[in-house]
Structure formats: structure tokens, C-alpha cells
Amino acid sequence: MLSQRTRYTIRALLHLADRYGQGAVQLGEIAEAQNIPPKFLTVMLSQMSRDGLIASRRGRDGGYWLARPPSEISYGEIVRLTRGSLGLLPCASRLAYQQCANCITEEKCRLHWVMLMVRDETARILDGLSLADPVPIDTFEPAPLA
């Protein structure tokens, strides 16, 4: 499951992507439009600035903007920066691998192999979508819940 931090970060970056090339966007505009607490947004945007996704300028005409074109920022990159991994289990993480506590050996653990497949498919989808890609929300049909 995505953390609130990750969801807020994606929404803030999408807001900046929608205004890419139009100059600096003030923090208050992002916070209000995306319903993100301003103090939390400040911390998130500072981290994204350190990670090279956004740039900022202080002052009356200051604000935030994407440091790279939206087409060069994938959802996968954002999730990894905010969550640390796409793996749902520590043993399925590429960057933050840890052996699961109280588990049988990974070679015998079928759940481990399933989670590797889930991680790889999740990575394929999230790395293949950028902030510039249209998401067809009006035509998307989610699979029925079982």
C-alpha cells in the first residue's frame, strides 16, 4: 500500500507537471488544490528538491517547478524515492532487501517468488508511466472484486 506521503508527493508533482513551463507555482496553490497540509508539503517538496525532481526559488515571485520535463519523471521513480522500494515484502525488495523474519528458506518459499513477480510487474507499469502520460480515468474499468 502506498503511504500518505507517497500519495501527496505524486499529487503535488502532477500539479507541477500540469503547469510545466509556466513558471514557479506557489506552495499555497499546490496545498489548496491538492488538499495537502502546507507544512507537510514543504517537507515533501524539500526532499524532492534534494532528489533533483523539482527546483525552487524564494521570495515574492518564488515557488516550485519541475526540474525535469514531466515525461522524464516516472511514477516508479517517485514511489522509490518516497517509499524506498516497490517490493511488498522485504525479501522482494531490490534496493532494501532483507530476509523475512520467521520464514522458511527463500528457495522454498512460494510467497517470495510470487512477490518477486508482483514487484517486477509493478515496476514495469510504474516505470512505464510518466507524469506526462494521460491516464484515461473515464475509460478505465477496474477488475471486479472477488
Side-chain angles (χ1 to χ4, degrees), residues 8-75:
Y8 279 163
T9 301
I10 290 171
R11 290 190 350 228
L13 293 175
L14 283 168
H15 190 88
L16 294 175
D18 290 343
R19 285 152 186 76
Y20 184 71
Q22 298 175 11
V25 180
Q26 293 189 342
L27 182 120
E29 176 190 326
I30 302 167
E32 184 176 332
Q34 298 302 320
N35 195 27
I36 302 171
K39 287 184 180 182
F40 196 69
L41 182 59
T42 300
V43 172
M44 291 171 6
L45 293 178
S46 293
Q47 181 62 50
M48 291 299 102
S49 179
R50 286 190 295 276
D51 291 331
L53 268 61
I54 66 165
S56 65
R57 179 177 56 237
R58 291 182 167 194
R60 198 174 71 118
D61 296 325
Y64 299 88
W65 61 92
L66 291 181
R68 302 188 333 235
S71 61
E72 294 179 11
I73 302 172
S74 74
Y75 285 88

Side-chain angles (χ1 to χ4, degrees), residues 65-119:
W65 61 92
L66 291 181
R68 302 188 333 235
S71 61
E72 294 179 11
I73 302 172
S74 74
Y75 285 88
E77 179 179 9
I78 300 165
V79 171
R80 286 182 189 94
L81 288 172
T82 57
R83 190 173 183 272
S85 173
L86 296 178
L88 296 178
L89 293 176
C91 69
S93 174
R94 286 186 187 196
L95 303 176
Y97 171 85
Q98 290 182 351
Q99 187 172 3
C100 293
N102 304 319
C103 192
I104 59 178
T105 65
E106 287 178 7
E107 295 77 27
K108 294 180 181 178
C109 181
R110 290 184 284 176
L111 180 58
H112 170 73
W113 296 107
V114 168
M115 290 299 109
L116 289 177
M117 289 188 294
V118 169
R119 179 207 61 205

